[in-house]
């Protein structure tokens, strides 16, 4: 049997092209292996071969979803792969979204198996877990050593159309698929056994985990904007020049509360971004591009809004854990409420 | 953060470039932005035009806040 043909997708960073300053890199096809493909090659042995690697900048892909998808699909089609693999994306949100989008498209358009790998808090997991196999990884590239073997193993199985085991066995994120199996004990017996274990305080494994929905009911609309007090919040890392609280450029361990009461607009003199997950050139030059203080001051003057709150809240939403983000907002949402803020505009990069 | 603010009973609009992420996170009022490094601007435009663009985007945010919604809504215009 000839070798399984693999096409691999990487972002600009993992392809070694560059960081955020290269995130607008357009789709590119390279013959053979690039970067993390080496780790996969080692695992594949003689069974499979990465015939080509497609590279695209994370910003370019997410900002030009349609064109980029079409270009990339064309490149993949021409390479006639038996399987398509993307990532691992670890905890990189835009990279995860790109990997998932392309995998889903390839699966639907070309009808071949696809596979990606991400950290559980990567938004790409919730976006695509129902559509794809996504191998579980650590939150940073330090997890490549365990990610590569798991990806390669499942990829070979998928390409050879072997039976795929449950998520725990194969190491992929739960997809919400139920499978009928025969058990030697009746359901009633298993249920009673489980109940007894529960009553005794022993460990047990449920056969039907309840889904966790965490939707928040939308708040009522603002009735009279001309009397409303608006506050700005951002995950785009806008901070006073010099970053006095030293908010980290990624995995932020804090947020900041900053006074803008005297400012008609943010400028490169007053403010900058602490965010390490996008090219900071544009935000540093004109921070209103991320936190629109100037526009809201105009609206305050014209009476479109009542007032702009004297403080804004900011953190860096780059690899910052969901638990931390939640804790920050829990804290400052109460302050906003106590300060009589009517509504919030939250900007993200 | 969007959800905790909303949970505190304050209406919030999320303006961001990658709308699918905002939908997954669970924002209820979403306004699509320009680009990741400059959600409310465009360095390719002359300064006056860029300010107008930003005013338009903020106006979309205000309209979103003035609109009653019963589920996740993307204010795309």
């Amino acid at each position: 049997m000839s070798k399984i043909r693999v096409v691999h997708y990487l972002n600009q960073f993992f392809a070694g092209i560059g960081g955020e300053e290269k995130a607008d890199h357009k789709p590119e096809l390279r013959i053979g292996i690039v970067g993390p493909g080496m780790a996969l090659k080692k695992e594949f042995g003689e069974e499979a071969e990465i015939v080509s690697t497609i590279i695209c900048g994370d910003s370019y892909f997410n900002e030009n979803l349609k064109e980029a998808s079409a270009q990339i699909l064309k490149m993949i089609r021409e390479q006639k792969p038996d399987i398509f693999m993307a990532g691992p994306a670890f905890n990189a949100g835009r990279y995860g979204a790109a990997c998932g989008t392309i995998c889903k498209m390839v699966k639907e358009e070309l009808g071949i198996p696809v596979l990606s790998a991400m950290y559980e808090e990567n938004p790409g997991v919730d976006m695509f877990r129902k559509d794809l196999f996504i191998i579980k990884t650590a939150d940073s590239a330090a997890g490549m050593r365990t990610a590569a073997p798991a990806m390669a193993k499942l990829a070979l199985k998928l390409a050879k159309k072997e039976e795929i085991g449950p998520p725990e066995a194969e190491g992929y994120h739960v997809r919400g698929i139920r499978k009928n199996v025969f058990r030697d004990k009746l359901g009633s017996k298993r249920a009673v056994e489980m109940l007894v274990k529960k009553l005794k305080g022993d460990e047990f494994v449920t056969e039907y985990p309840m889904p966790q929905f965490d939707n928040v009911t939308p708040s009522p609309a603002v009735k009279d904007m001309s009397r409303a007090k608006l506050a700005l919040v951002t995950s785009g890392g806008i901070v006073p020049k010099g970053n006095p609280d030293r908010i980290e450029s990624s995995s932020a361990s804090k947020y900041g509360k900053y006074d803008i009461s005297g400012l008609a607009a943010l400028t490169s003199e007053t403010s900058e971004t602490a965010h390490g997950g996008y090219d900071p050139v544009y935000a540093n030059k004109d921070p209103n591009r991320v936190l629109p203080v100037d526009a809201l001051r105009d609206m305050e003057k014209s009476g479109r809004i009542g007032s702009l709150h004297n403080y804004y809240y900011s953190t860096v939403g780059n690899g910052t854990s969901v638990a931390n983000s939640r804790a920050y907002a829990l804290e400052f949402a109460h302050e906003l409420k106590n300060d009589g803020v009517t509504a919030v505009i939250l900007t993200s990069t | 953060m969007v959800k905790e603010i909303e949970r505190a009973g304050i209406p919030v609009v999320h303006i961001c470039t990658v709308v699918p992420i905002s939908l997954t996170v669970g924002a209820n009022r979403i306004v699509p932005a320009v680009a990741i490094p400059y959600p409310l601007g465009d360095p390719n435009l002359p300064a006056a035009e860029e300010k107008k663009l930003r005013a338009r985007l903020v106006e979309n945010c205000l309209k979103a806040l003035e609109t009653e919604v019963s589920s996740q809504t993307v204010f795309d215009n």
Side-chain angles (χ1 to χ4, degrees):
Chain A
M1 199 183 117
S2 58
K3 279 189 184 177
I4 296 162
R5 290 173 66 86
V6 180
V7 171
H8 190 206
Y9 176 86
L10 296 174
N11 72 353
Q12 84 285 352
F13 179 76
F14 282 96
I17 292 174
E20 285 305 324
E21 76 288 357
K22 299 285 182 193
D24 56 354
H25 190 81
K26 290 187 177 159
E28 177 198 345
L29 178 113
R30 289 199 201 163
I31 298 303
I33 295 170
V34 179
M38 283 309 293
L40 294 172
K41 177 193 159 79
K42 246 173 65 192
E43 302 296 329
F44 284 146
E46 289 303 303
E47 287 198 86
E49 181 186 11
I50 297 177
V51 290
S52 56
T53 306
I54 292 166
I55 302 153
C56 182
D58 285 335
S59 290
Y60 183 83
F61 185 84
N62 282 288
E63 290 169 5
N64 304 279
L65 213 52
K66 272 196 191 142
E67 298 102 290
S69 299
Q71 279 169 288
I72 290 169
L73 183 65
K74 187 167 172 271
M75 290 174 179
I76 299 169
R77 194 192 300 270
E78 283 164 2
Q79 293 299 309
K80 300 191 175 61
D82 299 307
I83 182 162
F84 175 74
M85 298 171 76
F90 303 106
N91 199 19
R94 283 168 300 153
Y95 188 18
C99 287
T101 306
I102 300 165
C103 280
K104 184 171 182 223
M105 168 179 74
V106 169
K107 184 181 162 191
E108 286 167 359
E109 299 289 325
L110 306 185
I112 58 167
V114 297
L115 176 65
S116 189
M118 302 173 205
Y119 176 60
E120 60 190 17
E121 284 192 5
N122 191 316
V125 172
D126 273 344
M127 287 162 80
F128 295 104
R129 64 161 81 233
K130 289 203 176 103
D131 304 298
L132 320 167
F133 289 106
I134 304 171
I135 291 284
K136 285 186 177 183
T137 72
D139 61 353
S140 78
M144 191 70 80
R145 264 215 326 236
T146 46
M151 274 185 99
K153 193 172 154 220
L154 186 58
L156 290 175
K157 275 189 162 183
L158 284 166
K160 291 191 276 189
K161 301 193 169 51
E162 288 175 11
E163 196 177 331
I164 307 299
E168 325 60 269
E170 306 279 0
Y172 58 87
H173 288 285
V174 171
R175 301 186 57 194
I177 294 171
R178 266 190 276 165
K179 223 172 165 179
N180 288 327
V181 290
F182 286 103
R183 304 288 280 273
D184 44 7
K185 284 182 197 164
L186 285 177
S188 52
K189 193 151 196 283
R190 301 202 303 275
V192 170
E193 282 174 3
M194 214 185 290
L195 182 63
V196 170
K197 277 189 185 169
K198 188 173 181 175
L199 290 172
K200 282 205 286 190
D202 289 350
E203 273 192 34
F204 64 95
V205 181
T206 178
E207 292 182 16
Y208 189 67
M210 288 292 126
Q212 290 180 356
F213 293 112
D214 187 30
N215 294 339
V216 184
T217 316
S219 300
V222 177
K223 297 239 154 41
D224 185 358
M225 196 58 84
S226 69
R227 297 175 62 174
K229 187 194 224 181
L230 263 88
L232 282 168
V233 175
T234 188
S235 64
I238 299 295
V239 291
K241 190 88 178 171
N243 190 9
D245 293 324
R246 296 181 173 272
I247 297 180
E248 298 88 342
S249 60
S250 76
S251 304
S253 68
K254 55 184 102 121
Y255 66 92
K257 175 187 183 182
Y258 302 113
D259 191 350
I260 44 168
S261 53
L263 297 180
L266 303 181
T267 65
S268 56
E269 318 271 282
T270 65
S271 314
E272 64 184 19
T273 181
H275 202 293
Y278 65 88
D279 186 347
V281 171
Y282 312 102
N284 284 341
K285 206 162 170 215
D286 181 359
N288 300 286
R289 286 169 175 157
V290 177
L291 201 75
V293 172
D294 61 347
L296 282 159
R297 286 288 183 224
D298 289 345
M299 289 169 172
E300 196 177 32
K301 237 181 260 166
S302 71
R304 175 73 177 92
I305 62 168
S307 63
L308 177 61
H309 185 44
N310 284 341
Y311 297 92
Y312 75 89
Y313 293 84
S314 176
T315 191
V316 165
N318 179 25
T320 303
S321 77
V322 174
N324 275 351
S325 310
R326 183 175 295 146
Y328 304 159
L330 199 63
E331 218 172 88
F332 67 67
H334 282 281
E335 283 186 18
L336 290 169
K337 191 101 192 156
N338 290 338
D339 287 341
V341 167
T342 327
V344 167
I345 297 178
L346 196 153
T347 69
S348 286
T349 45
Chain B
M1 292 202 290
V2 181
K3 278 202 292 203
E4 292 311 320
I5 295 168
E6 190 109 77
R7 227 192 289 274
I10 306 173
V12 50
V13 55
H14 190 204
I15 176 155
C16 64
T17 305
V18 190
V19 172
I21 293 184
S22 183
L23 285 166
T24 304
V25 167
N28 286 320
R29 292 177 171 92
I30 302 167
V31 170
V34 178
I36 291 157
Y38 38 88
L40 288 119
D42 187 347
N44 303 314
L45 293 177
E49 289 300 312
E50 187 180 8
K51 263 206 100 166
K52 270 191 214 159
L53 167 77
R54 180 151 56 246
R56 211 161 56 231
L57 285 164
V58 173
E59 179 58 33
N60 283 352
C61 290
L62 297 182
K63 288 213 176 94
L65 288 168
E66 288 170 321
T67 309
E68 297 290 353
V69 302
S70 54
S71 59
Q72 291 192 299
T73 308
V74 179
F75 292 84
D76 203 352
N77 56 9

